[in-house]
mmCIF file of all heavy atoms in Angstrom:
data_model
loop_
_atom_site.group_PDB
_atom_site.id
_atom_site.type_symbol
_atom_site.label_atom_id
_atom_site.label_comp_id
_atom_site.label_asym_id
_atom_site.label_seq_id
_atom_site.Cartn_x
_atom_site.Cartn_y
_atom_site.Cartn_z
ATOM 1 N N ILE E 231 13.305 -13.818 22.040
ATOM 2 C CA ILE E 231 12.441 -14.059 23.066
ATOM 3 C C ILE E 231 11.564 -12.741 23.249
ATOM 4 O O ILE E 231 12.159 -11.624 23.520
ATOM 5 C CB ILE E 231 13.056 -14.425 24.358
ATOM 6 C CG1 ILE E 231 14.025 -15.642 24.256
ATOM 7 C CG2 ILE E 231 12.100 -14.661 25.509
ATOM 8 C CD1 ILE E 231 13.321 -16.890 23.807
ATOM 9 N N ALA E 232 10.310 -12.868 23.090
ATOM 10 C CA ALA E 232 9.510 -11.745 23.069
ATOM 11 C C ALA E 232 8.383 -11.736 24.125
ATOM 12 O O ALA E 232 7.819 -12.800 24.400
ATOM 13 C CB ALA E 232 8.861 -11.424 21.705
ATOM 14 N N ARG E 233 8.052 -10.532 24.646
ATOM 15 C CA ARG E 233 6.938 -10.560 25.666
ATOM 16 C C ARG E 233 6.337 -9.112 25.748
ATOM 17 O O ARG E 233 7.059 -8.195 25.599
ATOM 18 C CB ARG E 233 7.502 -10.879 27.087
ATOM 19 C CG ARG E 233 6.419 -11.008 28.227
ATOM 20 C CD ARG E 233 5.474 -12.177 27.984
ATOM 21 N NE ARG E 233 4.490 -12.188 28.955
ATOM 22 C CZ ARG E 233 4.576 -12.897 30.184
ATOM 23 N NH1 ARG E 233 5.790 -13.614 30.431
ATOM 24 N NH2 ARG E 233 3.689 -13.058 31.139
ATOM 25 N N ASN E 234 5.058 -9.074 25.759
ATOM 26 C CA ASN E 234 4.316 -7.811 25.900
ATOM 27 C C ASN E 234 4.435 -7.446 27.414
ATOM 28 O O ASN E 234 3.906 -8.130 28.190
ATOM 29 C CB ASN E 234 2.934 -7.728 25.422
ATOM 30 C CG ASN E 234 2.335 -6.434 25.200
ATOM 31 O OD1 ASN E 234 2.364 -5.709 26.260
ATOM 32 N ND2 ASN E 234 1.727 -6.200 24.116
ATOM 33 N N ALA E 235 5.105 -6.309 27.671
ATOM 34 C CA ALA E 235 5.156 -5.785 29.032
ATOM 35 C C ALA E 235 3.736 -5.696 29.830
ATOM 36 O O ALA E 235 3.813 -5.942 31.004
ATOM 37 C CB ALA E 235 5.865 -4.578 29.095
ATOM 38 N N VAL E 236 2.808 -5.506 29.026
ATOM 39 C CA VAL E 236 1.541 -5.273 29.638
ATOM 40 C C VAL E 236 0.959 -6.615 30.361
ATOM 41 O O VAL E 236 0.313 -6.666 31.361
ATOM 42 C CB VAL E 236 0.419 -4.863 28.724
ATOM 43 C CG1 VAL E 236 -0.971 -4.882 29.247
ATOM 44 C CG2 VAL E 236 0.785 -3.488 28.132
ATOM 45 N N THR E 237 1.494 -7.783 29.867
ATOM 46 C CA THR E 237 1.125 -9.168 30.241
ATOM 47 C C THR E 237 1.896 -9.564 31.447
ATOM 48 O O THR E 237 1.641 -10.789 31.876
ATOM 49 C CB THR E 237 1.115 -10.153 29.157
ATOM 50 O OG1 THR E 237 2.476 -10.410 28.836
ATOM 51 C CG2 THR E 237 0.299 -9.615 27.884
ATOM 52 N N ILE E 238 2.783 -8.781 31.935
ATOM 53 C CA ILE E 238 3.655 -9.263 33.078
ATOM 54 C C ILE E 238 3.005 -8.731 34.345
ATOM 55 O O ILE E 238 3.032 -7.517 34.646
ATOM 56 C CB ILE E 238 5.095 -8.680 32.984
ATOM 57 C CG1 ILE E 238 5.734 -9.148 31.663
ATOM 58 C CG2 ILE E 238 5.921 -9.086 34.180
ATOM 59 C CD1 ILE E 238 7.169 -8.512 31.497
ATOM 60 N N PRO E 239 2.408 -9.624 35.093
ATOM 61 C CA PRO E 239 1.739 -9.259 36.335
ATOM 62 C C PRO E 239 2.755 -8.821 37.434
ATOM 63 O O PRO E 239 3.781 -9.481 37.607
ATOM 64 C CB PRO E 239 0.999 -10.488 36.748
ATOM 65 C CG PRO E 239 1.683 -11.569 36.205
ATOM 66 C CD PRO E 239 2.272 -11.066 34.994
ATOM 67 N N GLU E 240 2.585 -7.574 38.163
ATOM 68 C CA GLU E 240 3.505 -7.149 39.005
ATOM 69 C C GLU E 240 3.927 -8.051 40.085
ATOM 70 O O GLU E 240 4.897 -8.211 40.540
ATOM 71 C CB GLU E 240 3.219 -5.805 39.479
ATOM 72 C CG GLU E 240 4.276 -5.076 40.254
ATOM 73 C CD GLU E 240 4.068 -3.526 40.203
ATOM 74 O OE1 GLU E 240 3.154 -3.008 39.644
ATOM 75 O OE2 GLU E 240 4.975 -2.778 40.843
ATOM 76 N N ARG E 241 2.789 -8.685 40.547
ATOM 77 C CA ARG E 241 3.026 -9.651 41.800
ATOM 78 C C ARG E 241 3.800 -10.879 41.443
ATOM 79 O O ARG E 241 4.414 -11.458 42.298
ATOM 80 C CB ARG E 241 1.668 -9.944 42.411
ATOM 81 C CG ARG E 241 0.764 -10.805 41.595
ATOM 82 C CD ARG E 241 -0.571 -10.914 42.216
ATOM 83 N NE ARG E 241 -1.489 -11.803 41.395
ATOM 84 C CZ ARG E 241 -1.453 -13.162 41.465
ATOM 85 N NH1 ARG E 241 -0.713 -13.766 42.282
ATOM 86 N NH2 ARG E 241 -2.400 -13.822 40.622
ATOM 87 N N LEU E 242 3.780 -11.226 40.188
ATOM 88 C CA LEU E 242 4.707 -12.279 39.607
ATOM 89 C C LEU E 242 5.790 -11.957 38.865
ATOM 90 O O LEU E 242 6.396 -12.834 38.122
ATOM 91 C CB LEU E 242 3.690 -13.293 38.891
ATOM 92 C CG LEU E 242 2.480 -13.871 39.664
ATOM 93 C CD1 LEU E 242 1.707 -14.683 38.810
ATOM 94 C CD2 LEU E 242 2.950 -14.647 40.858
ATOM 95 N N SER E 243 6.221 -10.654 38.865
ATOM 96 C CA SER E 243 7.109 -10.138 37.893
ATOM 97 C C SER E 243 8.480 -10.796 38.052
ATOM 98 O O SER E 243 9.200 -11.119 37.178
ATOM 99 C CB SER E 243 7.332 -8.633 38.008
ATOM 100 O OG SER E 243 7.649 -8.283 39.263
ATOM 101 N N ASP E 244 8.976 -11.018 39.313
ATOM 102 C CA ASP E 244 10.314 -11.535 39.455
ATOM 103 C C ASP E 244 10.335 -12.925 38.930
ATOM 104 O O ASP E 244 11.374 -13.361 38.242
ATOM 105 C CB ASP E 244 10.592 -11.635 41.024
ATOM 106 C CG ASP E 244 11.020 -10.150 41.519
ATOM 107 O OD1 ASP E 244 11.188 -9.363 40.660
ATOM 108 O OD2 ASP E 244 11.139 -10.034 42.726
ATOM 109 N N ALA E 245 9.237 -13.721 39.075
ATOM 110 C CA ALA E 245 9.287 -15.123 38.599
ATOM 111 C C ALA E 245 9.239 -14.954 37.093
ATOM 112 O O ALA E 245 9.911 -15.900 36.396
ATOM 113 C CB ALA E 245 8.072 -15.910 39.115
ATOM 114 N N GLU E 246 8.455 -14.162 36.522
ATOM 115 C CA GLU E 246 8.461 -14.082 35.040
ATOM 116 C C GLU E 246 9.676 -13.620 34.333
ATOM 117 O O GLU E 246 10.113 -14.157 33.401
ATOM 118 C CB GLU E 246 7.269 -13.040 34.649
ATOM 119 C CG GLU E 246 5.816 -13.422 35.054
ATOM 120 C CD GLU E 246 5.245 -14.525 34.166
ATOM 121 O OE1 GLU E 246 5.740 -14.499 33.026
ATOM 122 O OE2 GLU E 246 4.372 -15.190 34.513
ATOM 123 N N LEU E 247 10.288 -12.671 34.981
ATOM 124 C CA LEU E 247 11.526 -12.001 34.395
ATOM 125 C C LEU E 247 12.746 -13.001 34.760
ATOM 126 O O LEU E 247 13.534 -13.215 33.813
ATOM 127 C CB LEU E 247 11.810 -10.682 34.978
ATOM 128 C CG LEU E 247 10.740 -9.589 34.584
ATOM 129 C CD1 LEU E 247 10.932 -8.352 35.423
ATOM 130 C CD2 LEU E 247 10.900 -9.296 33.036
ATOM 131 N N PHE E 248 12.831 -13.442 36.017
ATOM 132 C CA PHE E 248 14.089 -14.116 36.391
ATOM 133 C C PHE E 248 13.979 -15.572 36.673
ATOM 134 O O PHE E 248 14.953 -16.262 36.901
ATOM 135 C CB PHE E 248 14.678 -13.381 37.740
ATOM 136 C CG PHE E 248 14.802 -11.889 37.418
ATOM 137 C CD1 PHE E 248 14.207 -10.969 38.308
ATOM 138 C CD2 PHE E 248 15.518 -11.367 36.420
ATOM 139 C CE1 PHE E 248 14.345 -9.703 38.153
ATOM 140 C CE2 PHE E 248 15.669 -10.046 36.218
ATOM 141 C CZ PHE E 248 15.028 -9.199 37.044
ATOM 142 N N GLY E 249 12.692 -16.096 36.869
ATOM 143 C CA GLY E 249 12.665 -17.519 36.981
ATOM 144 C C GLY E 249 12.528 -17.916 38.487
ATOM 145 O O GLY E 249 12.585 -17.042 39.344
ATOM 146 N N ASN E 250 12.389 -19.254 38.793
ATOM 147 C CA ASN E 250 12.272 -19.655 40.222
ATOM 148 C C ASN E 250 12.778 -21.098 40.143
ATOM 149 O O ASN E 250 12.797 -21.940 39.158
ATOM 150 C CB ASN E 250 10.885 -19.624 40.648
ATOM 151 C CG ASN E 250 9.932 -20.303 39.888
ATOM 152 O OD1 ASN E 250 9.261 -19.744 39.109
ATOM 153 N ND2 ASN E 250 9.752 -21.639 40.127
ATOM 154 N N LEU E 251 13.244 -21.503 41.405
ATOM 155 C CA LEU E 251 13.700 -22.846 41.523
ATOM 156 C C LEU E 251 12.424 -23.749 41.531
ATOM 157 O O LEU E 251 11.322 -23.321 42.004
ATOM 158 C CB LEU E 251 14.480 -22.952 42.809
ATOM 159 C CG LEU E 251 15.954 -22.498 42.840
ATOM 160 C CD1 LEU E 251 16.477 -22.733 44.276
ATOM 161 C CD2 LEU E 251 16.705 -23.153 41.765
ATOM 162 N N LYS E 252 12.567 -25.113 41.481
ATOM 163 C CA LYS E 252 11.524 -26.035 41.517
ATOM 164 C C LYS E 252 11.075 -26.041 42.918
ATOM 165 O O LYS E 252 11.733 -25.898 43.910
ATOM 166 C CB LYS E 252 11.971 -27.396 41.083
ATOM 167 C CG LYS E 252 10.946 -28.519 41.250
ATOM 168 C CD LYS E 252 11.563 -29.935 40.711
ATOM 169 C CE LYS E 252 10.685 -31.071 40.974
ATOM 170 N NZ LYS E 252 9.341 -30.863 40.342
#
Side-chain angles (χ1 to χ4, degrees):
I231 304 302
R233 185 68 179 270
N234 190 310
V236 175
T237 68
I238 301 176
E240 189 156 357
R241 63 187 182 86
L242 300 175
S243 60
D244 284 348
E246 294 282 338
L247 293 168
F248 308 123
N250 58 265
L251 287 179
K252 180 178 172 58

